[in-house]
Amino acid sequence: MVSPIIDVQHLNYRYPQQPETALTLRDVSFSVAAGEWVAIVGHNGSGKSTLAKNLNGLLAPVSGTVTVDGQVLSEETVWEIRKKIGMVFQNPDNQFVGATVADDVAFGLENQGVPRDEMLARVEQALKQVNMQEFATREPARLSGGQKQRVALAGMIAARPRILILDEATSMLDPRGRAEVLATIRQMKADGQLTVLSITHDIDEAASANRIIVVNDGEVKEEGTPAEIFRHGENLIKMGLDMPYAERLKAALKRQGVQVPATYLTEKGMADWLWQLRSNK
Amino acid sequence: MAITFKQVDFTYQPGTPFENKALSDINVTIPEGSYTALIGHTGSGKSTLLQHLNALLKPTSGTVTIGERVITPETSNKDLKRLRQHVGIVFQFPESQLFEETVEKDIAFGPQNFGVSEAATLKTAAEMLALVGLPQELLKRSPFDLSGGQMRRVAIAGVLAMQPDVLVLDEPTAGLDPQGRLEMMEIFARLRHERHLTVVLVTHQMDDVANYADNVIVMDRGRVVKTGAPREIFADPQWLLDHQLGLPKTTAFARQLVQRGWQFERMPLTEDELAQDLVAGLPQSAFGEGHDHDE
């Protein structure tokens, strides 16, 4: 196997004010290959965001190691590693620094020392990609929640990190906006060797991933492809994910006395099955 | 308490380089006792309209009538206290507004500000905590030791403690997991019936609109472009898509079935509705043994 771009081994984390026995993350190990899209799911309070903050050194573990692109995360390597990772949080208010939207998107590039002409071009391109070019001269603070999430993502598009970590970064978008952002991320992946780690409750976002890691109570409970994980049907709610629509309809049909298949069906599979059932008349 | 907008315009920072017209010619009524969903794509003016519901923003022109009170561009900022008690707004990420030492004090802060005695407000705090589904032992805890979902419930309890007639919710379930989202929506539905509230819900979740609302206001680019019951709004899927809005999952799925030749008398909005419609068209062999299926 090619060496992973992110490798986490036996990570334990506890918040400073917590008693020694109460670990927020317990013996977490997983790795992500370069170019992979991994979704991390789990209910609120399961430790997902804590895990994300351990990956770029915003939080430091009690024990265990995080290796990013061959470098073990430590006080010496943290700045080098952060250059490779772009993070978008759920509430981007906490990460805006620029006076205008364009300034904010440019911020990461200024820090990287990108020449001014190239910077302006990249900012314009990034804002266009998230459909926010009309807002370039606005104040970030006065945008709506969904617009803020788009601007935060534009900052990442412009900065071109090797790894993109999305911490519920589409939660404030409307369904179409969410679909657009997911399409943008797919495009970014197609354009270069981007690795994506998305923390999400959204079934469509999870379905976009190559692999899903289920975190519960600070531990990795399960790993699998979306189709493997979605077989859990009604138990997906306990894992912090929504039920795929076909599963919800299946449950409703069952309540009406209809015998439904036990295997996981996509929406198309469900429509095919219903159509065939009706033709058996 | 009904709220009526008449020819309302609103412009942010007029006369500056940041000038931005957010609302244009709004004429709409939120009926007393309704569960009104306010929908529209990102940046359509929903949050701006919402802030007019208790005069946090005043119209640049036009009037907003909230119960008996008429708000005009000239209305003084003094004397709006009673109005704010009647219309409680739960903003996005309300947990970021928590500040007190204990959960109890945080919930009691609002009513105390309105001159209610400390003993009475602490009693109210305990009641409100139960109302949002949290255990009493949290009362003496710091709100900052709670999980995000619990903090949000405490913030909502603080708004409810004011005993508002109108409860305004701005994407109240954003960021909660599906289980937490469902519990929260059930709490609002229950409160509405128990306390006879008028509820205004700003949301992107069309399934919540289908499941809970009885009245819908659709906004686009600062204007109200449609109002009606959920069934009327969702009857024209193409119109919704043109306005960058989604459909309830059931309606979208039923549309796929229609494209294959399935027929529905009316487009279903929830999975139970769809299941009922489908069952009527299925042969006896689709049902499990021993199940009585009466035609």
Side-chain angles (χ1 to χ4, degrees):
Chain A
M1 183 185 158
V2 282
S3 63
I5 191 157
I6 300 173
D7 188 46
V8 176
Q9 291 298 327
H10 309 293
L11 192 75
N12 288 297
Y13 182 81
R14 165 167 43 81
Y15 281 95
Q17 68 274 25
Q18 284 184 314
E20 292 213 358
T21 50
L23 289 170
T24 303
L25 295 175
R26 255 196 316 272
D27 197 25
V28 170
S29 299
F30 68 94
S31 57
V32 180
E36 204 180 6
W37 182 335
V38 172
I40 297 182
V41 307
H43 59 77
N44 286 127
S46 59
K48 304 181 304 292
S49 297
T50 307
L51 177 59
K53 288 177 186 154
N54 269 276
L55 297 181
N56 73 348
L58 284 175
L59 295 175
V62 176
S63 62
T65 57
V66 173
T67 310
V68 177
D69 201 14
Q71 280 181 307
V72 177
L73 180 63
S74 68
E75 273 180 50
E76 287 75 48
T77 59
V78 64
W79 298 105
E80 200 59 37
I81 284 175
R82 279 189 194 162
K83 280 187 199 159
K84 297 175 182 166
I85 302 181
M87 271 185 121
V88 183
F89 295 103
Q90 172 174 234
N91 187 354
D93 273 344
N94 302 332
Q95 64 187 114
F96 284 135
V97 288
T100 67
V101 164
D103 282 357
D104 202 85
V105 175
F107 180 75
L109 304 185
E110 279 177 333
N111 279 357
Q112 286 177 23
V114 174
R116 188 174 158 76
D117 287 348
E118 189 191 337
M119 184 172 85
L120 292 177
R122 276 212 227 169
V123 168
E124 196 187 329
Q125 173 62 26
L127 283 173
K128 209 165 156 187
Q129 225 171 324
V130 298
N131 257 326
M132 288 293 292
Q133 65 271 43
E134 287 171 41
F135 296 82
T137 59
R138 295 273 197 80
E139 286 174 277
R142 291 185 183 268
L143 302 177
S144 75
Q147 288 172 331
K148 285 173 185 168
Q149 289 193 324
R150 285 170 189 258
V151 171
L153 186 69
M156 296 305 138
I157 294 172
R160 298 178 188 165
R162 296 198 52 197
I163 302 166
L164 183 60
I165 299 181
L166 306 166
D167 188 355
E168 293 184 42
T170 64
S171 57
M172 302 303 289
L173 292 165
D174 50 51
R176 178 160 163 177
R178 187 172 293 168
E180 282 170 8
V181 164
L182 292 180
T184 303
I185 294 165
R186 271 184 220 112
Q187 186 61 46
M188 287 167 76
K189 282 193 84 234
D191 291 347
Q193 260 297 30
L194 180 69
T195 304
V196 179
L197 205 64
S198 60
I199 294 173
T200 186
H201 298 301
D202 181 57
I203 193 84
D204 296 326
E205 195 175 323
S208 300
N210 305 109
R211 196 152 52 98
I212 296 177
I213 296 176
V214 181
V215 178
N216 189 17
D217 208 11
E219 294 179 321
V220 172
K221 290 288 181 204
E222 204 172 336
E223 282 187 53
T225 62
E228 282 164 2
I229 299 294
F230 293 168
R231 271 186 213 135
H232 288 290
E234 291 182 59
N235 288 324
L236 286 168
I237 301 248
K238 288 187 201 122
M239 296 178 175
L241 266 184
D242 242 333
M243 272 163 78
Y245 181 71
E247 292 293 322
R248 273 166 49 187
L249 180 59
K250 223 197 249 177
L253 284 167
K254 217 169 151 184
R255 287 195 286 276
Q256 298 282 331
V258 178
Q259 276 192 322
V260 293
T263 50
Y264 167 71
L265 292 178
T266 60
E267 281 189 32
K268 185 176 175 302
M270 186 77 188
D272 288 345
W273 176 75
L274 281 166
W275 194 248
Q276 211 196 336
L277 197 62
R278 193 169 87 147
S279 317
N280 285 344
K281 226 171 191 172
Chain B
M1 183 179 270
I3 301 177
T4 301
F5 286 71
K6 269 200 189 124
Q7 295 175 325
V8 170
D9 284 356
F10 183 80
T11 303
Y12 282 107
Q13 296 164 286
T16 75
F18 290 113
E19 179 172 301
N20 169 25
K21 189 164 188 185
L23 296 179
S24 302
D25 195 27
I26 304 287
N27 294 286
V28 78
T29 293
I30 294 166
E32 174 162 355
S34 69
Y35 193 131
T36 296
L38 185 55
I39 62 175
H41 78 101
T42 303
S44 61
K46 303 185 297 291
S47 293
T48 306
L49 185 95
L50 176 145
Q51 291 177 70
H52 283 76
L53 298 177
N54 74 349
L56 279 178
L57 294 177
K58 289 175 292 179
T60 307
S61 66
T63 60
V64 182
T65 308
I66 306 163
E68 308 281 295
R69 194 68 201 273
V70 182
I71 306 295
T72 68
E74 291 76 33
T75 301
S76 151
N77 280 334
K78 286 179 196 165
D79 193 33
L80 291 172
K81 224 172 170 180
R82 277 194 65 78
L83 182 65
R84 305 237 161 103
Q85 189 199 328
H86 289 304
V87 182
I89 301 189
V90 177
F91 286 101
Q92 287 177 12
F93 302 104
E95 56 275 22
S96 62
Q97 295 170 22
L98 298 174
F99 70 102
E100 273 283 8
E101 286 166 22
T102 66
V103 165
E104 186 178 42
K105 285 186 186 171
D106 211 297
I107 300 175
F109 176 79
Q112 255 170 48
N113 234 358
F114 285 95
V116 182
S117 76
E118 192 179 342
T121 56
L122 293 184
K123 188 165 163 279
T124 307
E127 281 170 28
M128 295 306 136
L129 196 71
L131 217 49
V132 296
L134 290 177
Q136 297 292 308
E137 57 258 33
L138 295 188
L139 280 173
K140 302 289 181 194
R141 295 263 296 273
S142 161
F144 302 103
D145 286 345
L146 307 181
S147 77
Q150 289 174 325
M151 284 169 76
R152 184 160 312 175
R153 288 178 195 223
V154 169
I156 291 168
V159 173
L160 292 171
M162 312 285 286
Q163 319 273 0
D165 301 309
V166 182
L167 182 63
V168 182
L169 305 160
D170 190 359
E171 300 191 46
T173 62
L176 297 184
D177 62 31
Q179 182 76 44
R181 221 151 61 202
L182 183 66
E183 284 172 16
M184 193 71 82
M185 291 308 294
E186 290 297 326
I187 287 171
F188 297 138
R190 184 165 51 79
L191 284 172
R192 178 198 178 197
H193 288 293
E194 287 175 6
R195 313 210 140 218
H196 308 289
L197 295 174
T198 303
V199 176
V200 180
L201 172 73
V202 176
T203 186
H204 293 311
Q205 311 280 340
M206 297 303 146
D207 282 0
D208 286 344
V209 177
N211 284 324
Y212 298 101
D214 54 21
N215 182 41
V216 185
I217 298 172
V218 187
M219 295 192 70
D220 192 11
R221 273 168 281 179
R223 291 174 187 273
V224 170
V225 290
K226 205 171 204 170
T227 58
R231 197 168 296 286
E232 298 165 52
I233 302 292
F234 294 129
D236 188 354
Q238 193 53 50
W239 184 88
L240 283 157
L241 298 176
D242 291 346
H243 286 83
Q244 303 188 40
L245 291 166
L247 291 170
K249 288 214 164 97
T250 292
T251 314
F253 184 75
R255 226 177 149 221
Q256 287 180 39
L257 293 179
V258 167
Q259 278 158 6
R260 293 182 180 223
W262 215 296
Q263 285 172 354
F264 296 97
E265 268 179 43
R266 49 166 175 64
M267 285 305 268
L269 299 185
T270 64
E271 59 254 32
D272 283 315
E273 239 175 65
L274 175 59
Q276 277 169 23
D277 290 353
L278 291 176
V279 159
L282 294 178
Q284 188 64 45
S285 62
F287 297 88
E289 277 177 38
H291 179 80
D292 299 320
H293 179 53
D294 303 321
E295 286 299 324

CSV table of all heavy atoms in Angstrom, one decimal, chain B residues 5 15 37 52 61 95 100 109 111 122 124 142-143 159 174 189 191 201 206-207 215 228 234 283 291:
chain,number,residue,atom,x,y,z
B,5,PHE,N,-46.6,42.6,7.9
B,5,PHE,CA,-45.7,43.5,7.2
B,5,PHE,C,-46.5,44.2,6.1
B,5,PHE,O,-47.2,43.6,5.3
B,5,PHE,CB,-44.6,42.7,6.5
B,5,PHE,CG,-43.6,42.1,7.5
B,5,PHE,CD1,-43.9,41.1,8.3
B,5,PHE,CD2,-42.3,42.7,7.5
B,5,PHE,CE1,-43.0,40.6,9.2
B,5,PHE,CE2,-41.3,42.1,8.4
B,5,PHE,CZ,-41.7,41.1,9.2
B,15,GLY,N,-26.4,54.8,2.6
B,15,GLY,CA,-25.5,55.9,2.4
B,15,GLY,C,-24.0,55.6,2.7
B,15,GLY,O,-23.2,56.5,2.8
B,37,ALA,N,-43.3,28.4,8.3
B,37,ALA,CA,-42.0,28.2,7.9
B,37,ALA,C,-41.5,29.3,6.9
B,37,ALA,O,-42.3,29.7,6.0
B,37,ALA,CB,-41.9,26.8,7.2
B,52,HIS,N,-37.1,41.7,12.1
B,52,HIS,CA,-38.2,42.7,12.1
B,52,HIS,C,-39.3,42.2,13.0
B,52,HIS,O,-40.2,42.9,13.4
B,52,HIS,CB,-38.7,43.0,10.7
B,52,HIS,CG,-37.9,43.9,9.9
B,52,HIS,ND1,-36.7,43.5,9.3
B,52,HIS,CD2,-38.0,45.2,9.6
B,52,HIS,CE1,-36.2,44.5,8.7
B,52,HIS,NE2,-36.9,45.6,8.9
B,61,SER,N,-38.6,51.7,5.2
B,61,SER,CA,-39.9,52.2,4.9
B,61,SER,C,-40.9,51.2,5.1
B,61,SER,O,-40.6,50.0,5.1
B,61,SER,CB,-39.9,52.9,3.5
B,61,SER,OG,-39.8,51.9,2.6
B,95,GLU,N,-26.3,28.9,21.6
B,95,GLU,CA,-25.4,28.6,22.7
B,95,GLU,C,-24.3,29.5,22.9
B,95,GLU,O,-23.7,29.7,23.9
B,95,GLU,CB,-24.9,27.1,22.6
B,95,GLU,CG,-24.2,26.8,21.3
B,95,GLU,CD,-25.1,26.4,20.1
B,95,GLU,OE1,-26.3,26.8,20.2
B,95,GLU,OE2,-24.6,25.7,19.2
B,100,GLU,N,-23.8,33.0,31.9
B,100,GLU,CA,-23.9,33.0,33.4
B,100,GLU,C,-23.1,31.9,34.0
B,100,GLU,O,-22.6,31.0,33.3
B,100,GLU,CB,-25.3,32.9,33.8
B,100,GLU,CG,-26.1,34.2,33.9
B,100,GLU,CD,-25.7,35.0,35.1
B,100,GLU,OE1,-24.7,34.6,35.8
B,100,GLU,OE2,-26.3,36.1,35.4
B,109,PHE,N,-32.1,34.8,33.7
B,109,PHE,CA,-31.6,36.2,33.4
B,109,PHE,C,-32.7,37.1,32.7
B,109,PHE,O,-32.9,38.2,33.1
B,109,PHE,CB,-30.4,36.1,32.5
B,109,PHE,CG,-29.8,37.5,32.1
B,109,PHE,CD1,-29.1,38.2,33.1
B,109,PHE,CD2,-30.1,38.0,30.9
B,109,PHE,CE1,-28.7,39.5,32.7
B,109,PHE,CE2,-29.7,39.3,30.5
B,109,PHE,CZ,-28.9,40.0,31.5
B,111,PRO,N,-36.2,36.9,32.4
B,111,PRO,CA,-37.3,37.4,33.3
B,111,PRO,C,-36.9,38.3,34.4
B,111,PRO,O,-37.6,39.3,34.7
B,111,PRO,CB,-37.9,36.1,33.8
B,111,PRO,CG,-37.2,35.0,33.2
B,111,PRO,CD,-36.2,35.5,32.3
B,122,LEU,N,-36.2,31.6,39.4
B,122,LEU,CA,-35.5,30.4,39.6
B,122,LEU,C,-36.5,29.2,39.5
B,122,LEU,O,-36.1,28.2,38.9
B,122,LEU,CB,-34.8,30.3,41.0
B,122,LEU,CG,-33.7,31.3,41.1
B,122,LEU,CD1,-32.9,31.2,42.4
B,122,LEU,CD2,-32.6,31.2,39.9
B,124,THR,N,-39.2,29.3,37.6
B,124,THR,CA,-39.4,29.2,36.1
B,124,THR,C,-38.2,28.5,35.4
B,124,THR,O,-38.5,27.7,34.5
B,124,THR,CB,-39.5,30.7,35.5
B,124,THR,OG1,-40.5,31.4,36.3
B,124,THR,CG2,-39.9,30.6,34.1
B,142,SER,N,-22.2,24.7,35.4
B,142,SER,CA,-21.9,25.8,34.4
B,142,SER,C,-22.4,25.4,33.0
B,142,SER,O,-22.2,24.3,32.6
B,142,SER,CB,-20.3,26.0,34.4
B,142,SER,OG,-20.0,26.7,33.2
B,143,PRO,N,-23.0,26.3,32.3
B,143,PRO,CA,-23.5,26.0,31.0
B,143,PRO,C,-22.3,25.6,30.1
B,143,PRO,O,-22.5,24.8,29.1
B,143,PRO,CB,-24.1,27.2,30.5
B,143,PRO,CG,-23.7,28.3,31.4
B,143,PRO,CD,-23.3,27.7,32.7
B,159,VAL,N,-35.0,31.6,26.3
B,159,VAL,CA,-36.0,32.4,25.6
B,159,VAL,C,-37.4,32.0,26.0
B,159,VAL,O,-38.3,32.9,26.2
B,159,VAL,CB,-35.8,32.1,24.0
B,159,VAL,CG1,-37.0,32.7,23.2
B,159,VAL,CG2,-34.5,32.6,23.6
B,174,ALA,N,-29.5,23.4,13.2
B,174,ALA,CA,-28.2,23.3,12.5
B,174,ALA,C,-27.1,22.8,13.4
B,174,ALA,O,-26.9,23.2,14.5
B,174,ALA,CB,-27.8,24.7,12.0
B,189,ALA,N,-42.9,21.3,18.6
B,189,ALA,CA,-44.3,21.0,18.2
B,189,ALA,C,-45.1,20.9,19.5
B,189,ALA,O,-46.3,21.3,19.5
B,189,ALA,CB,-44.3,19.7,17.4
B,191,LEU,N,-44.5,22.2,22.5
B,191,LEU,CA,-44.6,23.6,23.1
B,191,LEU,C,-45.7,24.4,22.5
B,191,LEU,O,-46.5,25.1,23.1
B,191,LEU,CB,-43.3,24.3,23.0
B,191,LEU,CG,-42.2,23.9,23.9
B,191,LEU,CD1,-40.9,24.6,23.6
B,191,LEU,CD2,-42.6,24.2,25.4
B,201,LEU,N,-40.5,29.4,11.9
B,201,LEU,CA,-39.3,28.6,11.7
B,201,LEU,C,-38.5,28.9,10.4
B,201,LEU,O,-39.1,28.8,9.3
B,201,LEU,CB,-39.7,27.1,11.7
B,201,LEU,CG,-38.6,26.1,11.3
B,201,LEU,CD1,-37.6,25.9,12.5
B,201,LEU,CD2,-39.2,24.7,11.0
B,206,MET,N,-36.6,20.9,4.1
B,206,MET,CA,-37.9,20.8,3.5
B,206,MET,C,-38.8,19.7,4.2
B,206,MET,O,-40.0,19.8,4.3
B,206,MET,CB,-37.9,20.6,2.0
B,206,MET,CG,-37.3,21.8,1.3
B,206,MET,SD,-38.1,23.3,1.6
B,206,MET,CE,-36.7,24.4,1.6
B,207,ASP,N,-38.1,18.7,4.7
B,207,ASP,CA,-38.8,17.7,5.5
B,207,ASP,C,-39.4,18.2,6.7
B,207,ASP,O,-40.5,17.8,7.1
B,207,ASP,CB,-37.9,16.5,5.8
B,207,ASP,CG,-37.6,15.6,4.6
B,207,ASP,OD1,-38.2,15.9,3.5
B,207,ASP,OD2,-36.9,14.6,4.7
B,215,ASN,N,-48.1,26.7,7.4
B,215,ASN,CA,-48.1,27.9,6.6
B,215,ASN,C,-46.6,28.2,6.1
B,215,ASN,O,-45.7,27.9,6.9
B,215,ASN,CB,-48.6,29.1,7.4
B,215,ASN,CG,-48.6,30.4,6.6
B,215,ASN,OD1,-49.0,30.4,5.5
B,215,ASN,ND2,-48.2,31.5,7.3
B,228,GLY,N,-48.4,30.1,1.3
B,228,GLY,CA,-49.4,29.1,1.2
B,228,GLY,C,-49.2,28.0,2.2
B,228,GLY,O,-48.1,27.9,2.9
B,234,PHE,N,-45.4,22.9,-2.3
B,234,PHE,CA,-44.7,21.7,-2.8
B,234,PHE,C,-45.4,21.1,-4.1
B,234,PHE,O,-44.9,20.1,-4.6
B,234,PHE,CB,-44.4,20.7,-1.8
B,234,PHE,CG,-43.5,21.1,-0.7
B,234,PHE,CD1,-43.8,21.0,0.6
B,234,PHE,CD2,-42.3,21.8,-1.0
B,234,PHE,CE1,-43.0,21.5,1.7
B,234,PHE,CE2,-41.4,22.2,0.0
B,234,PHE,CZ,-41.8,22.1,1.3
B,283,PRO,N,-50.2,-5.5,-5.1
B,283,PRO,CA,-51.0,-6.7,-5.1
B,283,PRO,C,-50.9,-7.4,-3.7
B,283,PRO,O,-50.0,-7.1,-2.9
B,283,PRO,CB,-50.3,-7.6,-6.1
B,283,PRO,CG,-48.9,-7.1,-6.2
B,283,PRO,CD,-48.9,-5.7,-5.9
B,291,HIS,N,-51.4,-11.1,7.3
B,291,HIS,CA,-51.8,-9.7,7.4
B,291,HIS,C,-53.1,-9.5,6.7
B,291,HIS,O,-53.3,-9.9,5.5
B,291,HIS,CB,-50.7,-8.9,6.7
B,291,HIS,CG,-51.0,-7.4,6.8
B,291,HIS,ND1,-50.8,-6.7,7.9
B,291,HIS,CD2,-51.5,-6.6,5.8
B,291,HIS,CE1,-51.2,-5.4,7.6
B,291,HIS,NE2,-51.6,-5.4,6.4
